[in-house]
Amino acid sequence: MSSLNASFSKNISIVHPEYFFIIGLSGIPYSNYYYIFLFIIYFITVIGNSTVLLMIALERSLHSPKYMAVFNLALADIGETNALIPNMMKNLLFDSQYISFNACLVNMFFVFLFSSMQSLTLVVLAYDRLIAICLPLKYHVIVNNSNMRFVFSAVWVFNSVIVASMVSLITQISFCKSNVILSYFCDHGPVYRLACNDNYINKIMGFLYTTLYLIAPMLVIGLSYLGIFFVVRKIRTWEGRMKALKTCVSHLLLVAIYYLPIFFTYLTSLLLYSTPNSRVISTSVAYAVPAMLNPIIYVLNTVEIKDIIRKAIRNRSVPTDRISK
C-alpha cells in the first residue's frame, strides 16, 4: 500500500482524507501585508461589535425589538470573523495550512451558520422598518420583544438545520484525487468539487444555500423597500418623507455593504475567469469588511446609540469639572 493510500481513512466505499491543505494566497509577493490588513479588520470588528453587544445588553432603553435584531447582527459578525480570520492568521504566523477533516467540517459549519444569520437578520430589520413606516399604529402590537424573540429563535434553529445538513452531506462523498482546498477556509464549493464520486446532492445544497441566504433575502428586502417607498410617496410634506426615510438609512447601508460585494463576487466568478488568488482576496474582503463596518454605521447613524455615548462622555467629565472648580 502506497504512502498516499495510507494517509486516507476508508469506510467501505467512502474515502476521507486525514487532513485538508488550505492554500489561501499562493505565489503572491508581499501577501503578508494583506494578512496584516485582515488582522486590522479583525481587531476593529471584535472591538466594535463587542461594544455594541455590551451597550445593548447593559442599556435598558435599547431592550427593544429593533436592537434585539442589531444584537443578533453583532453576534453573527463576531462569530463569522472568528471563524474566518484567526485561521488565516495561523497560516501566516505558523506556516500551517493543514486542517483535519473533522476540524474542516466544524469550520465550514460555523462560517456558514454565522453568515446565514447576518443575511436573515438584515431581512428581519427590513421587516421592522416596513411595519414601522407602513403600519405605525400597529407597530408595537406586531413587532414586540416576545415576537422578536420567537422570530430569532426560529431563525437560529432553521439556519442550524440547513447548514448542518449541508455540512453533513460532505461526509457522504469520497476524496481520492486531491486534498488541496483552493480557498482561504473550508469553503463548501471548493471542498465538494474535490469529490471523485457523485456529488450532485452537494451541488443542490450549495444552490439551496445561495438561494436561501443571498437571492431570496435580496428579493424580500427589495420588495420591503418598494412597499416603504409607495407609502412614503403618499406623505404630503417633504419633511415628513425625509423623516420616514431617515430611519432606513442605517439599514440600507448595512444591506449595501453586505449583499453587493458578495453578489458581484459571485457574478464575476460566473461570467469572467478569475485566478484562485483573486477569488480568495475578493471573497475574504466581501465577508470581512461588512462585519467591521456594521457597528460603525450604527454608532454614526443611530440617534439612540449616539445619545448614550454622549451621556457616558458627559458623566465622565462631570467629576473632573468639579475637581477643577
Side-chain angles (χ1 to χ4, degrees):
M1 194 177 224
S2 67
S3 59
L4 177 63
N5 291 332
S7 67
F8 289 90
S9 59
K10 296 186 179 181
N11 181 17
I12 309 174
S13 61
I14 305 298
V15 181
H16 294 159
E18 292 181 7
Y19 57 85
F20 285 111
F21 185 76
I22 302 176
I23 62 168
L25 295 174
S26 59
I28 295 183
Y30 309 112
S31 60
N32 289 353
Y33 293 109
Y34 181 68
Y35 286 115
I36 294 171
F37 168 70
L38 285 180
F39 177 76
I40 294 170
I41 289 178
Y42 175 77
F43 181 78
I44 297 172
T45 299
V46 172
I47 295 298
N49 283 286
S50 297
T51 302
V52 171
L53 289 174
L54 285 172
M55 200 178 294
I56 295 173
L58 298 176
E59 182 59 44
R60 296 184 66 85
S61 64
L62 297 181
H63 294 178
S64 63
K66 176 185 173 182
Y67 287 102
M68 197 177 294
V70 175
F71 185 92
N72 272 272
L73 183 62
L75 190 64
D77 287 341
I78 289 180
E80 185 196 51
T81 302
N82 278 300
L84 283 175
I85 296 181
N87 279 331
M88 296 187 74
M89 293 298 103
K90 183 188 73 172
N91 294 345
L92 170 66
L93 296 174
F94 304 105
D95 195 24
S96 173
Q97 296 172 300
Y98 295 96
I99 185 169
S100 69
F101 180 80
N102 290 332
C104 181
L105 296 185
V106 171
N107 177 247
M108 185 187 299
F109 173 80
F110 282 111
V111 170
F112 284 100
L113 174 66
F114 289 121
S115 178
S116 64
M117 277 306 305
Q118 287 176 311
S119 183
L120 291 194
T121 299
L122 292 175
V123 174
V124 175
L125 282 166
Y127 170 75
D128 173 84
R129 291 300 86 206
L130 178 69
I131 301 301
I133 293 173
C134 298
L135 300 170
L137 298 179
K138 296 183 179 180
Y139 176 78
H140 293 291
V141 176
I142 299 173
V143 184
N144 53 51
N145 286 353
S146 297
N147 289 345
M148 196 61 82
R149 274 192 289 268
F150 173 78
V151 167
F152 276 108
S153 297
V155 168
W156 277 102
V157 171
F158 176 78
N159 287 357
S160 298
V161 170
I162 294 295
V163 175
S165 300
M166 182 178 76
V167 173
S168 65
L169 286 170
I170 294 292
T171 63
Q172 302 305 306
I173 56 179
S174 289
F175 301 88
C176 50
K177 293 180 180 179
S178 174
N179 65 342
V180 177
I181 300 175
L182 302 176
S183 186
Y184 60 101
F185 75 103
C186 284
D187 199 351
H188 181 256
V191 170
Y192 82 69
R193 292 190 190 101
L194 297 175
C196 55
N197 61 344
D198 184 19
N199 61 5
Y200 180 73
I201 187 64
N202 303 95
K203 291 180 182 178
I204 295 297
M205 289 303 297
F207 176 77
L208 177 65
Y209 183 90
T210 303
T211 302
L212 285 175
Y213 300 114
L214 181 61
I215 299 172
M218 289 174 67
L219 290 174
V220 171
I221 292 172
L223 290 173
S224 297
Y225 275 101
L226 193 62
I228 288 172
F229 291 141
F230 275 127
V231 170
V232 169
R233 281 183 61 190
K234 296 178 181 179
I235 299 175
R236 295 180 181 180
T237 64
W238 179 254
E239 291 79 6
R241 292 177 184 178
M242 292 305 295
K243 185 178 180 181
L245 290 176
K246 192 176 179 180
T247 64
C248 301
V249 170
S250 296
H251 181 251
L252 283 171
L253 287 172
L254 296 181
V255 168
I257 65 171
Y258 179 79
Y259 288 110
L260 291 182
I262 296 175
F263 176 76
F264 284 117
T265 299
Y266 273 93
L267 191 64
T268 302
S269 64
L270 288 173
L271 300 179
L272 302 172
Y273 171 76
S274 58
T275 63
N277 285 328
S278 64
R279 285 196 296 272
V280 166
I281 292 173
S282 60
T283 54
S284 59
V285 169
Y287 277 104
V289 171
M292 176 188 69
L293 294 179
N294 287 347
I296 298 173
I297 288 171
Y298 260 101
V299 168
L300 294 178
N301 288 283
T302 306
V303 175
E304 296 93 334
I305 291 181
K306 286 195 288 188
D307 286 342
I308 291 169
I309 293 173
R310 287 194 197 100
K311 288 178 183 176
I313 294 172
R314 199 179 303 125
N315 291 338
R316 264 189 155 188
S317 64
V318 167
T320 306
D321 294 341
R322 287 177 179 172
I323 290 170
S324 62
K325 289 178 182 178

